[in-house]
Amino acid sequence: MDDTVVGNRSSPSYRWEVPPGRNGWAQPTHGPAPANAPASAPAVGAVAPGTAALLILADGRFPAGGHAHSGGAEAAVKAGRIHDAVTLEAFCRGRLHTAGLTAAALAAAAAAGVDPLVLDEAADARTPVPALRTTARRLGRQLMRAARATWPSPELDALAAARPRGAHQPVVQGLAARAAGLDPRAAAYAAAYESAGGPASAAVRLLSLDPFDATTVLARLAPEMDRIAARAAEAGHRALDEGPGALPAAAAPLLDIAAEQHAAWPVRLFAS
Amino acid sequence: MHLDHPETYPQRHTHGADPRRPDGTRRALRIGLGGPVGSGKTATVAALCRALRDELSIAVVTNDIYTREDAEFLLRNAVLPAERISAVETGACPHTAIRDDISANLEAVEDLEEGVGPLDLILVESGGDNLTATFSKGLVDAQVFVIDVAGGDDIPRKGGPGVTTADLLVVNKTDLAPYVGSDLERMARDAKEQRGDLPVAFTSLVAPEGVRPIADWVRERLAAWTAAPA
Ligand SMILES: Nc1nc2c(ncn2[C@@H]2O[C@H](COP(=O)(O)OP(=O)(O)OP(=O)(O)O)[C@@H](O)[C@H]2O)c(=O)[nH]1
Ligand SMILES: [Mg+2]
C-alpha cells in the first residue's frame, strides 16, 4: 500500500495532507455554484449551514448497507437482554456512551482533517474483536461507495484507493461528512445517532416492537446524543494536534463478546 | 471535471451500473431472479447453471432472508464451484438489498468478478418475498420474476411490479397444475393483458430440459448485451 496516495504520515501534525495536484480541501465543484457546499452565510435562525446535508447522511435510508445490521441488538434480543422498550433504551444508551462515543470521535477527527489512515489504525486498536472489525470495514466499504456517488471528492477517492477492502465505517463517515461540506460536530452527530438508531430499528423487526416506542426511545436519548456529539467533536479537533491518543477508547465488552458469538450463528436475520 | 461535462452523474462508476469494466471491456450481464417464496427461483438458478456452465463463465449471488440455504443448496448440488457462489445477508429485508440499498450486492458482484472473472453472466437471486419486489437497475441489467401455478392462478391477474414489469415472467411448476386446479390458459391470458409484449415462459423444472425456455431467453439477452457498443 502506498501511503503517499492518501497523505503524508511523516508530517509533524496529524493533519491529513492530500498530495499537490489534488483538489485539496476545496469542495468538489460541478460548476459555478458548488452543489455540495452549504450556504456560506449563516442562515436566519439557529439552524447551522449544512443541516440538510447532515439529514441526508444520517438518514437510515442512506444506501450504505446499515439495514442488514442490528448493532448487536439481535444477539441481545436472543439473550433476553432486550425484550421491550425499557430494555431497548438501556441497550441503546450503553452503546451510545461506549462504541457510539468512540465512533463519533473517529468520525469527527476524520471530518476535521486528521489523516484517515492514522484513524483507521486507531479504529482497529479500539475494536478488539475480529467480528466487529470485519463488520466495520464491510460497512465502511459500502458507505464509501454511496458517499463517492453522492458527494464526489478526491479525498474519498484517495481513501478508497488506499483501503479497497474498506476502511472502518466511522472514518469513512467522517470523510463523507467532510465531502458533504459538514463540520466535525455534524460528523459526530451522524455516528452518534447511528449507534442508537441502528439497534432501535432492528429491534422493531426482531421483536415486532411498537415502532412508536422505538422512536420514543431515540427521542429520550436525544439530549445524550447532543452531549456525546459535542464531546466527540472536541476530541476530534484535539486529535489534529495531539494525534489519535486524544480520541476516546470507550468499549463495551459484552457487545464485543456477543458480536463474536453472533457471527458464528448459522441462522440469523442480521449480518451483525 | 469539465464544467460542461455532458453527464449529470459522472460518478456512476462508483455504484456499478456502468456496463464497462475499468479496462473498457464490457462487464458480465447481470440477471436478477425474484418472486414469491418457494416458486422455484433457486431451482431455476441451479438448472440455468447446469444448462449454461459449459458455454459461459457464470457466478451466482444469493440473498437469503435469514439463512444461507439457497447458497448451500447450490453448493450441495455442485452446480458451480464454491468460489463462484456468494451469499449476501439482508437483515430481514430482501427487497431492500436488491432495490433500495444495493451496496452489499454490488460488492458481492464485484468481488466475484475480481475473484473468478472475467465472467459472462451473474445471476442474482432475491430471497423469496412479495409481489412488489423488483431489482434496482443499478444492480441488474434484466430481471426474471418467477411465480408458480400452485400459488394460485390469479397471480398474473393481480399484477404488481414483478408480474407487470419483469423482463421475463416465469410461471413454474406447470406439472402441478392439474393437482391444484390451476388454469394455465387463463394465466397466459392474464399475463398477456398485464405485460403486453413482454415474454412469459411456462416451465416445469422437474421435467428433463425443463429450463430450456429460460436458458434460451438468457442466451438471447446475452447476445444482445455483448453486441451492444461498449
Ligand atoms: N413439482 C415441481 N416442483 C418444483 C419445480 N420447481 C421447483 N420445485 C420445488 O419447489 C420447491 C421450492 O423451490 P426453490 O427453488 O427452493 O424455490 P425458491 O423460489 O428458491 O424459494 P425461496 O428462495 O425460499 O423463496 C423445491 O422443493 C423445489 O424442488 C417444478 O417445476 N415442479
Ligand atoms: Mg431460493
Side-chain angles (χ1 to χ4, degrees):
Chain A
M1 187 206 57
D2 181 5
D3 282 347
T4 60
V5 170
V6 161
N8 179 2
R9 308 265 300 271
S10 60
S11 63
S13 89
Y14 289 87
R15 276 167 216 276
W16 187 33
E17 279 150 30
V18 167
R22 303 228 181 237
N23 272 0
W25 307 130
Q27 291 301 318
T29 48
H30 292 288
N36 298 330
S40 51
V44 176
V47 177
T51 301
L54 172 58
L55 294 176
I56 296 168
L57 179 64
D59 189 339
R61 285 166 297 189
F62 192 74
H67 71 96
H69 295 260
S70 78
E74 183 167 30
V77 165
K78 179 84 167 283
R81 287 190 289 273
I82 302 178
H83 50 82
D84 58 9
V86 173
T87 46
L88 174 66
E89 183 175 335
F91 179 90
C92 291
R93 175 173 288 113
R95 191 163 192 259
L96 172 66
H97 284 267
T98 53
L101 172 65
T102 304
L106 287 163
V114 177
D115 183 337
L117 292 184
V118 169
L119 293 174
D120 199 44
E121 277 171 22
D124 256 344
R126 285 159 176 75
T127 314
V129 299
L132 289 180
R133 287 186 184 183
T134 304
T135 296
R137 290 192 183 282
R138 185 173 297 159
L139 284 171
R141 185 178 170 196
Q142 290 176 248
L143 177 58
M144 177 62 86
R145 178 190 298 277
R148 287 173 77 194
T150 353
W151 295 292
S153 117
E155 296 181 0
L156 288 171
D157 293 348
L159 180 59
R163 288 281 182 275
R165 308 295 306 172
H168 275 259
Q169 190 227 20
V171 179
V172 181
Q173 199 168 31
L175 210 57
R178 191 176 163 85
L182 292 168
D183 65 14
R185 199 165 60 109
Y189 261 109
Y193 172 64
E194 188 179 291
S195 74
S201 75
V204 171
R205 283 182 252 165
L206 288 161
L207 291 169
S208 304
L209 194 71
D210 184 332
F212 300 117
D213 286 347
T215 301
T216 306
V217 163
L218 293 178
R220 286 166 58 89
L221 289 172
E224 286 168 67
M225 289 185 212
D226 289 334
R227 286 197 292 277
I228 293 285
R231 231 177 109 187
E234 187 269 324
H237 275 297
R238 269 198 296 125
L240 270 177
D241 297 316
E242 295 171 30
L247 300 175
L254 196 52
L255 279 180
D256 292 340
I257 294 164
E260 270 305 303
Q261 292 168 341
H262 180 269
W265 293 5
V267 174
R268 57 184 187 226
L269 283 175
F270 290 89
S272 78
Chain B
M1 189 184 303
H2 303 289
L3 295 182
D4 58 351
H5 201 285
E7 279 179 288
T8 318
Y9 298 100
Q11 72 283 6
R12 274 184 82 75
H13 64 279
T14 52
H15 59 98
D18 196 312
R20 286 146 306 185
R21 298 191 176 98
D23 69 3
T25 59
R26 222 162 153 73
R27 62 158 169 76
L29 176 70
R30 300 175 193 159
I31 294 182
L33 294 103
V37 178
S39 61
K41 298 177 292 296
T42 305
T44 302
V45 168
L48 278 176
C49 289
R50 287 196 193 95
L52 299 170
R53 67 190 170 195
D54 292 336
E55 54 192 279
L56 299 173
S57 176
I58 308 177
V60 173
V61 178
T62 63
N63 284 263
D64 274 321
I65 302 185
Y66 57 85
T67 65
R68 294 175 44 88
E69 265 179 49
D70 282 344
E72 274 155 19
F73 175 89
L74 297 172
L75 285 173
R76 231 181 9 258
N77 287 272
V79 297
L80 287 179
E83 65 273 16
R84 287 176 179 265
I85 301 170
S86 173
V88 166
E89 288 176 289
T90 61
C93 285
H95 53 270
T96 306
I98 59 161
R99 186 186 58 204
D100 311 274
D101 181 352
I102 57 177
S103 52
N105 269 292
L106 284 175
E107 243 119 70
V109 162
E110 286 172 11
D111 286 350
L112 285 167
E113 279 265 19
E114 202 181 298
V116 298
L119 295 163
D120 301 307
L121 176 67
I122 301 176
L123 301 172
V124 183
E125 180 187 342
S126 164
D129 206 354
N130 55 45
L131 295 174
T132 64
T134 49
F135 284 82
S136 162
K137 291 192 171 71
L139 176 61
V140 302
D141 306 299
Q143 49 189 314
V144 179
F145 201 72
V146 184
I147 60 174
D148 66 23
V149 303
D153 61 6
D154 53 351
I155 289 188
R157 181 185 55 72
K158 286 183 189 160
V163 166
T164 16
T165 65
D167 299 286
L168 175 68
L169 176 68
V170 173
V171 182
N172 187 33
K173 307 191 190 177
T174 51
D175 56 293
L176 298 182
Y179 307 103
V180 296
S182 278
D183 180 345
L184 295 182
E185 267 163 37
R186 180 185 155 200
M187 290 181 93
R189 249 190 342 267
D190 291 345
K192 172 90 194 147
E193 190 136 304
Q194 293 282 356
R195 295 172 53 77
D197 289 334
L198 287 171
V200 182
F202 284 81
T203 56
S204 167
L205 294 175
V206 292
E209 305 264 320
V211 79
R212 178 171 288 167
I214 310 174
D216 287 345
W217 178 85
V218 170
R219 285 193 189 93
E220 269 170 44
R221 294 297 301 215
L222 197 60
W225 173 257
T226 322

